[in-house]
Amino acid sequence: MLFESHAHYDDEAFENDRGKLLESFKENDIEYVINIGASIRTTENTIALTKKYPFIYGAAGVHPSDTAELNEEKFAWLKEQCSLPKIVAVGEIGLDYYWDEPDREIQKKWFDRQLQMAREVKLPIIIHSRDAAKDTVDMMKAGRAEEAGGVIHCFSYTKETAREFLGMGFSFGIGGVITFNNAKKLREAVEYIPMENILLETDSPYLAPMPYRGKRNSSLYLPLIAEKIAEVKGISYEEVVEITSHNAKRLFQIS
Ligand SMILES: [Zn+2]
């Protein structure tokens, strides 16, 4: 069965049909979902979803673009949530130089603090890195990210950068972008990355695969991503589903 490693089902895009959609997952071959925190509020929402649905697990963390809200009190709260049984990762955390807000120094400070927190609580990290490959790699190396392990979500860099993350034992979240016509570089990187280091993700409600590009995304489109990976790797759809599901269960320690 399919393992959705990155989604935001607390998003308002699901306001009208959230329950109906989530309850349809089992019959659509979707076994588990990791709902991702991207701020204090969405980490709260994530925890609520993990309590309501047995197949939803969660990540607690603050996205680089939201780090301006952090202070010692909120950071302490975030760390407490990491001991909840269904919180299986810290994320999404990292650097975003595309939107480039708040100041890079603030993004870096809280990226490092959350990375060190993950090492302390012994959870893997979910990395968001956009237009910031070099600083991300440098900070992960300096911060001994290999001890936490984790996944580079929505990987969008080159094969060369993939090699750096692989060297630290990281996995790669591959989503709808791989189906886009202009994603030749990403398909080359996926060809290079070992299957054992690939996870399926959608980043719902964002980044819907072809032919739904621009529309609301959901985990129901995971098969389109798995099919494309199968094509790039020259293996069967079933193998992609089985291996990526196994990889995710191992990383997040869900059996
Ligand atoms: Zn995300």
Side-chain angles (χ1 to χ4, degrees), residues 42-53 56 84 87:
T42 57
T43 295
E44 284 172 344
N45 295 343
T46 293
I47 293 164
L49 283 173
T50 67
K51 287 180 176 163
K52 188 162 183 193
Y53 297 95
I56 298 185
L84 290 170
I87 292 297

Side-chain angles (χ1 to χ4, degrees), residues 10-80:
D10 54 304
D11 194 280
E12 60 188 20
F14 300 105
E15 215 50 64
N16 293 326
D17 62 346
R18 183 177 295 112
K20 199 167 154 243
L21 178 67
L22 294 174
E23 275 149 27
S24 76
F25 282 1
K26 203 169 184 187
E27 70 206 44
N28 283 290
D29 207 37
I30 299 159
E31 189 177 15
Y32 290 111
V33 172
I34 308 287
N35 204 77
I36 309 292
S39 62
I40 294 297
R41 185 179 54 81
T42 57
T43 295
E44 284 172 344
N45 295 343
T46 293
I47 293 164
L49 283 173
T50 67
K51 287 180 176 163
K52 188 162 183 193
Y53 297 95
F55 61 91
I56 298 185
Y57 286 73
V62 175
H63 182 289
S65 303
D66 272 297
T67 45
E69 73 164 331
L70 279 171
N71 55 34
E72 292 305 327
E73 191 189 337
K74 287 177 178 166
F75 183 74
W77 178 86
L78 199 60
K79 190 174 175 183
E80 272 170 39

Side-chain angles (χ1 to χ4, degrees), residues 44-243:
E44 284 172 344
N45 295 343
T46 293
I47 293 164
L49 283 173
T50 67
K51 287 180 176 163
K52 188 162 183 193
Y53 297 95
F55 61 91
I56 298 185
Y57 286 73
V62 175
H63 182 289
S65 303
D66 272 297
T67 45
E69 73 164 331
L70 279 171
N71 55 34
E72 292 305 327
E73 191 189 337
K74 287 177 178 166
F75 183 74
W77 178 86
L78 199 60
K79 190 174 175 183
E80 272 170 39
Q81 312 317 306
C82 292
S83 59
L84 290 170
K86 289 185 82 185
I87 292 297
V88 294
V90 171
E92 54 190 297
I93 63 172
L95 300 171
D96 193 317
Y97 295 171
Y98 176 81
W99 296 109
D100 221 10
E101 273 176 10
D103 287 352
R104 294 183 180 184
E105 289 316 306
I106 295 172
Q107 294 192 35
K108 284 181 181 176
K109 174 188 169 180
W110 292 110
F111 177 26
D112 190 57
R113 290 291 299 275
Q114 293 183 91
L115 168 53
Q116 300 318 316
M117 176 180 91
R119 284 177 56 214
E120 276 176 47
V121 300
K122 296 193 175 11
L123 286 180
I125 54 180
I126 296 169
I127 299 279
H128 169 104
S129 176
R130 193 164 180 200
D131 291 354
K134 189 181 182 300
D135 281 3
T136 304
V137 169
D138 289 350
M139 284 190 65
M140 285 171 67
K141 282 184 181 167
R144 304 201 340 225
E146 76 278 2
E147 289 175 15
V151 55
I152 314 298
H153 141 68
C154 193
F155 179 74
S156 55
Y157 296 134
T158 59
K159 202 167 126 178
E160 287 66 38
T161 308
R163 185 178 295 130
E164 297 270 11
F165 291 128
L166 272 174
M168 290 185 269
F170 270 70
S171 295
F172 299 78
I174 304 299
V177 177
I178 195 177
T179 68
F180 296 176
N181 291 330
N182 57 1
K184 192 162 165 269
K185 272 220 169 83
L186 175 60
R187 285 191 284 271
E188 278 168 19
V190 169
E191 212 180 329
Y192 164 76
I193 297 166
M195 259 329 281
E196 284 59 42
N197 293 74
I198 292 178
L199 305 185
L200 295 182
E201 66 167 50
T202 60
D203 203 18
S204 294
Y206 313 106
L207 295 172
M210 294 291 279
Y212 304 104
R213 191 173 180 177
K215 305 242 167 66
R216 185 185 81 169
N217 200 2
S218 90
S219 307
L220 299 179
Y221 298 153
L222 281 170
L224 296 165
I225 298 161
E227 271 165 24
K228 193 49 133 184
I229 295 173
E231 186 189 311
V232 170
K233 287 295 206 184
I235 60 176
S236 71
Y237 169 82
E238 288 75 17
E239 280 175 289
V240 171
V241 172
E242 196 192 313
I243 298 170

